[in-house]
Structures are given as structure tokens and as C-alpha cells.
Amino acid sequence: MASSTKKAPAAAAAHSMFDAVLARLDKAAEIFGLAPEVAEVLRHPKKEVAVSLPIKMDDGSVKVFEGYRTVHSTHLGPSKGGIRYAMDVNADEVRALAAWMTFKCAIANLPYGGGKGGIKCDPRTMSVGELERLTRAYTRAMADVFGVNKDIPAPDMGTGKREMAWLLDEFNRIQGEDSPGVVTGKPLTLGGSKGREAATGRGVMVASLAAMKKMGIHHKNATAAVQGFGNVGSHAARLLAGKNIKVNAISDHTGAYYNEKGIDIENALKYAAANGNTLKGFTGAEAITNAQLLTLDVDLLVPAAIQGVITGANAGDIKAKLIVEGANGPTEADADEILNNKGIIVVPDVLANGGGVTVSYFEWVQNKYGHYWSEEEVNTKHDASMSQAFENVWFNAQQYKTSMRIGAYVTALKKVDKAIRYKGNY
Ligand code: GLU
């Protein structure tokens, strides 16, 4: 098992996701007047670890997987962020996602820095045994990176409470003691928090309602399209429908589904649960494409699937008045200006999907206390925290006469800048 700690490459590849982060960071730094030395610190991740993970597959062969963990910043506290299992995982993507976690945690007002991890693999084609061996090997390789007060992983795309349980168990074996707070998004019986699974979708709902209120859209007459029906999109769609918003379209990687009268989300959830967690063949709506979903004439568009779906090429066709980013990085940097010029309000990922990490923080606090809260308590605290974060970003966007995205970065920079200056010692 090879392990290395290396510095960020001097120049990221063209169209890299980390470049997209730097483009927004530079813009916010200029508007905010961030000192160049502080900007320079934030342009580089603190630590990057890349490992090779040889795994015995069920057929007896050995496959070597690439694993990553990047700590972008620990200025506000231990680094926090999920672990992604997907085929497009690479050092650049993990670096971008880690930096977004720094900004996300600062905006959500959490005492955390940012980190992210990932393994390049296709979990849909792997057996449970293979996934368990891979998760345990990754945990062993990252055992000196993770820590309750050091770096705290959580689920992301392709992972969930099952993987977090394996990670916790392997970490505990290595340490020889129980440290439930070393990972969040755990099953309830292993110290998970009530409300964690629905939290990211819940945050999207809270942010959507807050934005609609500012924009003078009455949510009871509003329509929405939600891209993605995984941990974020399915809960977002359910909770939006629960607020009487008509969800006209939903989708997953198998396709998109449209119904002018509104989709019965409870029915779609039941369908997906009985159908191997996919919407393939869903009959409660007409089949359209994921590309068509993005340009539907609805009030609210929630991209909650993958990154890079709103681009310079399709941004001009978007008809929604409001975009609330459930996914990380669904809008490419070159689409920002097109959307702004069209007067579309974009609630950016670093604010909109911060509900997940907010309840991860509550989970970590409960683990530290050894005392657990009711779902109502979690949800009440979450909603208050999310509403406050939204107001702070809205305020900064107005004050600096900029978009909510750059306003969100400014909100984060204000805090991280202070922390870097207090800590000093360059
Ligand atoms: N992976 C989630 C995110 O991107 C959650 C991270 C966490 O809870 O630490 O926000």
C-alpha cells in the first residue's frame, strides 16, 4: 500500500473543478479586499493523501483502487467532509470538494475546517463484501489522517450509513477504543443522529422557502423540478411537496419524469424503494431527459445529482427563476454570469446543501456528550441554523452588490480570514 503526502500541483488542469473554486474565490477575495497572503493560503490545500488500495475481488482477482483524502483547511477547527465512491474521483475533484467544505462549514457557522475523500470505483457494480473490504482498507490507510478532533469523514455520493459503520468499526479496532465522533452519518444504533439522512434535503427546502420569500414568490403556488433522487433530491422533493410546492419533474441517472399536474412524491419514493432504488420505468409521469428537466418552465430548479450540469452551453435556456443547488458544484463557473444576467437567483451549493454537514456537527456534539436529541430538537436547531446562514449570505450579497454565490464566499472569507490572522504564523 503506497501512501504519499504531496503539495498541490502548481497549475491545475484546464476545466478542473478546483479551477472553478479558485475562480469564485478570486472574485470574492477581490470584492471583499482579502489580503493576498490569506488568499494565497486558501488557494492551496493543507494536506493531500493519495493511496493505492489492493482488494481481493469475489472472483479471486486482485484490483488496485485509488483512494484520496484532502484536508483543505483546519483554521476554524478539525476538517470535515464526506467520502465519495464514484468513477470520476480524482485528486483535482477531491481538492475542489475539500475547499468547498471549508467555505460550507464557515457559512453554516460550524467550528470546522474543510476536507473531502474519495475512492475511484463504481459501487453499483461491486458486491457488499468487496465494498466492505475496500472501505476497511481505505480506513486503515487513512487511520492517521482521521480523528475526532482532527479530520471527520461522512457520507457523500455513493456512500451512506453502511460504509460509515465499517469505517467506524475499523478505526475503533486500530485505536483500541470506541470513538463514535470520528465519523458522522452513522446508523442510529452506532451513535448516528436522528434527522441526519434527510438533513441535506431539508436544508434545500429551508433555503428554497427563504429565497422564495425574498423574491415574493408564494410557495403554495410555486412549481419545481428536482434533478437527482438520491439522498439529497428524494428528501428535497418530498419536503418541498410537503410545503405544497408542485414538483413537476424528478429524475435519477436512469432518466427524468415530468407531470404537469405535479408528481406524487410519496408514490415515487415507494416505486424507487421497490425497484432497486431507481426510478427506471416510473409510470406516474411522462419520460423526458435529464437535459430537458433543467430547462423546464418552473419557478424552482434543484440540481441535486452531480456536478457540472449547468454550463455555459445550457444556462441561457434555463427558465426557472430560482436555482437551489443541492449537489456540490452543479453550475460551472462560466454559467454564473449568464444566470446573473438573466436575473436568476442562485442559492449556491456552499449554502444550500449545508444542512447535511450541520446535522453531522449535531451528531458529533451528541457523540461528545454521550447524550442524544429527539428528531424534533435536531430539526428545530437545523432549521434555525440554516435560516441564519441564508440571512447572512443574503445580507453580504446585498452589501457587496453581488450574487448570492459570491456573497456566500464573502461570508466564509470573513470568518476564515479572521481565523487565519488570529492564528498567524505563516
Ligand atoms: N458530503 C456532505 C457534503 O458535501 C456532508 C459532509 C459532512 O456531513 O461532513 O456536504
Side-chain angles (χ1 to χ4, degrees), residues 104-122:
K104 194 185 297 186
C105 292
I107 293 162
N109 225 357
L110 309 177
Y112 288 143
K116 199 83 171 198
I119 302 178
K120 183 178 174 176
C121 67
D122 182 358

mmCIF file of all heavy atoms in Angstrom, residues 104-122:
data_model
loop_
_atom_site.group_PDB
_atom_site.id
_atom_site.type_symbol
_atom_site.label_atom_id
_atom_site.label_comp_id
_atom_site.label_asym_id
_atom_site.label_seq_id
_atom_site.Cartn_x
_atom_site.Cartn_y
_atom_site.Cartn_z
ATOM 1 N N LYS A 104 -18.289 25.918 3.082
ATOM 2 C CA LYS A 104 -19.605 25.464 3.536
ATOM 3 C C LYS A 104 -19.698 25.486 5.066
ATOM 4 O O LYS A 104 -20.672 25.965 5.635
ATOM 5 C CB LYS A 104 -19.848 24.044 3.019
ATOM 6 C CG LYS A 104 -21.271 23.565 3.113
ATOM 7 C CD LYS A 104 -21.400 22.103 2.700
ATOM 8 C CE LYS A 104 -21.028 21.883 1.245
ATOM 9 N NZ LYS A 104 -21.299 20.476 0.826
ATOM 10 N N CYS A 105 -18.670 24.954 5.722
ATOM 11 C CA CYS A 105 -18.693 24.895 7.193
ATOM 12 C C CYS A 105 -18.652 26.304 7.786
ATOM 13 O O CYS A 105 -19.317 26.581 8.790
ATOM 14 C CB CYS A 105 -17.526 24.060 7.722
ATOM 15 S SG CYS A 105 -17.694 22.308 7.320
ATOM 16 N N ALA A 106 -17.873 27.198 7.156
ATOM 17 C CA ALA A 106 -17.799 28.577 7.658
ATOM 18 C C ALA A 106 -19.156 29.269 7.505
ATOM 19 O O ALA A 106 -19.627 29.955 8.414
ATOM 20 C CB ALA A 106 -16.718 29.353 6.907
ATOM 21 N N ILE A 107 -19.808 29.070 6.357
ATOM 22 C CA ILE A 107 -21.115 29.698 6.108
ATOM 23 C C ILE A 107 -22.169 29.158 7.080
ATOM 24 O O ILE A 107 -23.003 29.896 7.581
ATOM 25 C CB ILE A 107 -21.548 29.461 4.633
ATOM 26 C CG1 ILE A 107 -20.615 30.227 3.692
ATOM 27 C CG2 ILE A 107 -23.008 29.846 4.409
ATOM 28 C CD1 ILE A 107 -20.644 29.746 2.258
ATOM 29 N N ALA A 108 -22.095 27.850 7.353
ATOM 30 C CA ALA A 108 -23.062 27.227 8.270
ATOM 31 C C ALA A 108 -22.725 27.534 9.724
ATOM 32 O O ALA A 108 -23.425 27.085 10.628
ATOM 33 C CB ALA A 108 -23.105 25.724 8.036
ATOM 34 N N ASN A 109 -21.633 28.274 9.934
ATOM 35 C CA ASN A 109 -21.223 28.685 11.272
ATOM 36 C C ASN A 109 -20.819 27.507 12.159
ATOM 37 O O ASN A 109 -21.124 27.473 13.348
ATOM 38 C CB ASN A 109 -22.364 29.465 11.928
ATOM 39 C CG ASN A 109 -21.841 30.710 12.598
ATOM 40 O OD1 ASN A 109 -20.622 30.953 12.606
ATOM 41 N ND2 ASN A 109 -22.726 31.483 13.172
ATOM 42 N N LEU A 110 -20.143 26.537 11.580
ATOM 43 C CA LEU A 110 -19.708 25.349 12.322
ATOM 44 C C LEU A 110 -18.223 25.484 12.674
ATOM 45 O O LEU A 110 -17.468 26.086 11.917
ATOM 46 C CB LEU A 110 -19.915 24.087 11.471
ATOM 47 C CG LEU A 110 -21.307 23.915 10.863
ATOM 48 C CD1 LEU A 110 -21.352 22.660 9.983
ATOM 49 C CD2 LEU A 110 -22.370 23.830 11.955
ATOM 50 N N PRO A 111 -17.795 24.897 13.791
ATOM 51 C CA PRO A 111 -16.387 25.016 14.197
ATOM 52 C C PRO A 111 -15.506 24.007 13.477
ATOM 53 O O PRO A 111 -14.818 23.195 14.104
ATOM 54 C CB PRO A 111 -16.455 24.740 15.702
ATOM 55 C CG PRO A 111 -17.608 23.800 15.840
ATOM 56 C CD PRO A 111 -18.602 24.162 14.770
ATOM 57 N N TYR A 112 -15.566 24.014 12.151
ATOM 58 C CA TYR A 112 -14.861 23.034 11.332
ATOM 59 C C TYR A 112 -14.118 23.700 10.175
ATOM 60 O O TYR A 112 -14.590 24.690 9.611
ATOM 61 C CB TYR A 112 -15.857 22.074 10.677
ATOM 62 C CG TYR A 112 -16.540 21.067 11.565
ATOM 63 C CD1 TYR A 112 -17.877 20.733 11.328
ATOM 64 C CD2 TYR A 112 -15.861 20.411 12.585
ATOM 65 C CE1 TYR A 112 -18.528 19.778 12.099
ATOM 66 C CE2 TYR A 112 -16.504 19.449 13.365
ATOM 67 C CZ TYR A 112 -17.834 19.139 13.120
ATOM 68 O OH TYR A 112 -18.472 18.201 13.862
ATOM 69 N N GLY A 113 -13.022 23.057 9.781
ATOM 70 C CA GLY A 113 -12.392 23.344 8.505
ATOM 71 C C GLY A 113 -12.993 22.417 7.460
ATOM 72 O O GLY A 113 -14.033 21.800 7.693
ATOM 73 N N GLY A 114 -12.316 22.310 6.308
ATOM 74 C CA GLY A 114 -12.885 21.506 5.229
ATOM 75 C C GLY A 114 -11.974 20.391 4.763
ATOM 76 O O GLY A 114 -10.756 20.565 4.687
ATOM 77 N N GLY A 115 -12.579 19.256 4.458
ATOM 78 C CA GLY A 115 -11.829 18.129 3.899
ATOM 79 C C GLY A 115 -12.740 17.296 3.025
ATOM 80 O O GLY A 115 -13.959 17.499 3.014
ATOM 81 N N LYS A 116 -12.182 16.402 2.267
ATOM 82 C CA LYS A 116 -13.003 15.500 1.448
ATOM 83 C C LYS A 116 -12.170 14.296 1.067
ATOM 84 O O LYS A 116 -10.945 14.381 0.971
ATOM 85 C CB LYS A 116 -13.441 16.206 0.165
ATOM 86 C CG LYS A 116 -14.624 15.558 -0.511
ATOM 87 C CD LYS A 116 -15.902 16.039 0.133
ATOM 88 C CE LYS A 116 -17.140 15.615 -0.598
ATOM 89 N NZ LYS A 116 -18.283 16.426 -0.203
ATOM 90 N N GLY A 117 -12.853 13.187 0.853
ATOM 91 C CA GLY A 117 -12.146 11.981 0.421
ATOM 92 C C GLY A 117 -12.905 11.286 -0.675
ATOM 93 O O GLY A 117 -14.056 11.628 -0.965
ATOM 94 N N GLY A 118 -12.252 10.315 -1.281
ATOM 95 C CA GLY A 118 -12.949 9.567 -2.318
ATOM 96 C C GLY A 118 -12.165 8.361 -2.760
ATOM 97 O O GLY A 118 -10.947 8.266 -2.539
ATOM 98 N N ILE A 119 -12.892 7.431 -3.350
ATOM 99 C CA ILE A 119 -12.255 6.268 -3.972
ATOM 100 C C ILE A 119 -12.806 6.171 -5.386
ATOM 101 O O ILE A 119 -14.030 6.271 -5.595
ATOM 102 C CB ILE A 119 -12.556 4.962 -3.198
ATOM 103 C CG1 ILE A 119 -12.083 5.072 -1.740
ATOM 104 C CG2 ILE A 119 -11.879 3.778 -3.900
ATOM 105 C CD1 ILE A 119 -12.390 3.839 -0.891
ATOM 106 N N LYS A 120 -11.892 5.995 -6.333
ATOM 107 C CA LYS A 120 -12.325 5.818 -7.726
ATOM 108 C C LYS A 120 -12.827 4.384 -7.885
ATOM 109 O O LYS A 120 -12.028 3.438 -7.926
ATOM 110 C CB LYS A 120 -11.153 6.086 -8.666
ATOM 111 C CG LYS A 120 -11.538 5.986 -10.106
ATOM 112 C CD LYS A 120 -10.393 6.302 -11.028
ATOM 113 C CE LYS A 120 -10.883 6.017 -12.435
ATOM 114 N NZ LYS A 120 -9.947 6.345 -13.435
ATOM 115 N N CYS A 121 -14.142 4.230 -7.926
ATOM 116 C CA CYS A 121 -14.746 2.906 -8.075
ATOM 117 C C CYS A 121 -16.205 3.084 -8.494
ATOM 118 O O CYS A 121 -16.747 4.183 -8.406
ATOM 119 C CB CYS A 121 -14.681 2.133 -6.745
ATOM 120 S SG CYS A 121 -15.702 2.843 -5.428
ATOM 121 N N ASP A 122 -16.802 2.010 -8.977
ATOM 122 C CA ASP A 122 -18.221 2.060 -9.318
ATOM 123 C C ASP A 122 -18.968 1.173 -8.325
ATOM 124 O O ASP A 122 -19.066 -0.039 -8.525
ATOM 125 C CB ASP A 122 -18.436 1.562 -10.756
ATOM 126 C CG ASP A 122 -19.904 1.652 -11.154
ATOM 127 O OD1 ASP A 122 -20.727 2.061 -10.303
ATOM 128 O OD2 ASP A 122 -20.231 1.292 -12.301
#
